[in-house]
């Protein structure tokens, strides 16, 4: 697990996956039984952005010279901005629609993920490295 988390490419790969997943053509997907579960779309958005901010948080907390507070605030701003930006992208460039509540789920996932990264043993730099 540590080898996977310490992979410097992982946050970049996951960001590309998020872009792909949120750009994916969902025509006909609503016929699937999973989409009939109430709130499943919001749960998926939450999980996608939790992983997104966790990976970026661990990456920057381990490899950046910036202080922890700056890293956390930056990832929160970027994660929420990316989530809302993707909602506008979906509205104007895909067959999907804008959803304010998807953006809220993205934001909550971002917040939970970055604070999980901060508390994670992978997000610590060590005692004298700040």
């Amino acid at each position: 697990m540590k080898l996977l988390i310490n992979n410097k490419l992982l946050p970049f790969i996951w960001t590309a996956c998020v872009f792909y997943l949120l750009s994916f053509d969902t025509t006909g997907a609503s016929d699937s039984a999973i989409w009939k579960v109430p709130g499943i779309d919001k749960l998926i958005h939450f999980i996608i952005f939790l992983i997104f901010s966790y990976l970026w948080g661990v990456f920057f907390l381990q490899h950046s010279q910036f202080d922890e507070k700056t890293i956390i605030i930056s990832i929160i701003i970027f994660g929420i901005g990316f989530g809302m930006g993707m909602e506008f992208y979906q509205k104007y460039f895909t067959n999907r629609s804008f959803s304010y509540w998807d953006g809220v789920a993205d934001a909550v996932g971002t917040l939970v993920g970055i604070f999980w990264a901060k508390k994670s043993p992978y997000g610590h730099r060590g005692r004298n490295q700040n």
Side-chain angles (χ1 to χ4, degrees), residues 60-76:
F60 280 113
L61 288 169
Q62 286 182 352
H63 302 101
S64 177
Q65 299 301 323
F66 293 107
D67 64 289
E68 185 176 272
K69 184 178 178 181
T70 302
I71 292 168
I72 290 170
I73 290 171
S74 298
I75 292 173
I76 290 170

Side-chain angles (χ1 to χ4, degrees), residues 106-119:
D106 298 343
V108 173
T110 297
L111 292 171
V112 172
I114 190 61
F115 288 108
W116 181 34
K118 181 182 176 217
K119 299 295 182 188

Side-chain angles (χ1 to χ4, degrees), residues 3 6 10 17 27 32 35 40 44 46 49 55-56 80 89 92 94 100 113 115 120-121:
L3 182 62
N6 286 333
L10 196 56
C17 288
T27 304
S32 175
W35 295 113
I40 192 69
I44 291 170
F46 170 82
F49 276 84
L55 292 174
W56 280 111
I80 292 171
Y89 171 78
Y92 294 111
T94 70
Y100 173 77
F115 288 108
S120 164

Side-chain angles (χ1 to χ4, degrees), residues 1-93:
M1 178 71 168
K2 186 173 183 174
L3 182 62
L4 180 65
I5 295 297
N6 286 333
N7 185 334
K8 292 181 181 179
L9 290 177
L10 196 56
F12 295 98
I13 293 168
W14 184 251
T15 300
C17 288
V18 170
F19 184 82
Y20 175 75
L21 289 170
L22 296 181
S23 300
F24 195 75
D25 185 3
T26 57
T27 304
S30 60
D31 296 336
S32 175
I34 189 75
W35 295 113
K36 296 186 184 344
V37 175
I40 192 69
D41 179 43
K42 307 314 173 245
L43 179 63
I44 291 170
H45 276 264
F46 170 82
I47 292 169
I48 286 172
F49 276 84
L50 181 145
I51 295 168
F52 172 85
S53 62
Y54 176 80
L55 292 174
W56 280 111
V58 168
F59 175 81
F60 280 113
L61 288 169
Q62 286 182 352
H63 302 101
S64 177
Q65 299 301 323
F66 293 107
D67 64 289
E68 185 176 272
K69 184 178 178 181
T70 302
I71 292 168
I72 290 170
I73 290 171
S74 298
I75 292 173
I76 290 170
I77 291 169
F78 182 73
I80 292 171
F82 182 54
M84 289 308 293
M86 286 304 297
E87 290 304 314
F88 282 102
Y89 171 78
Q90 288 175 354
K91 178 179 180 179
Y92 294 111
F93 297 104

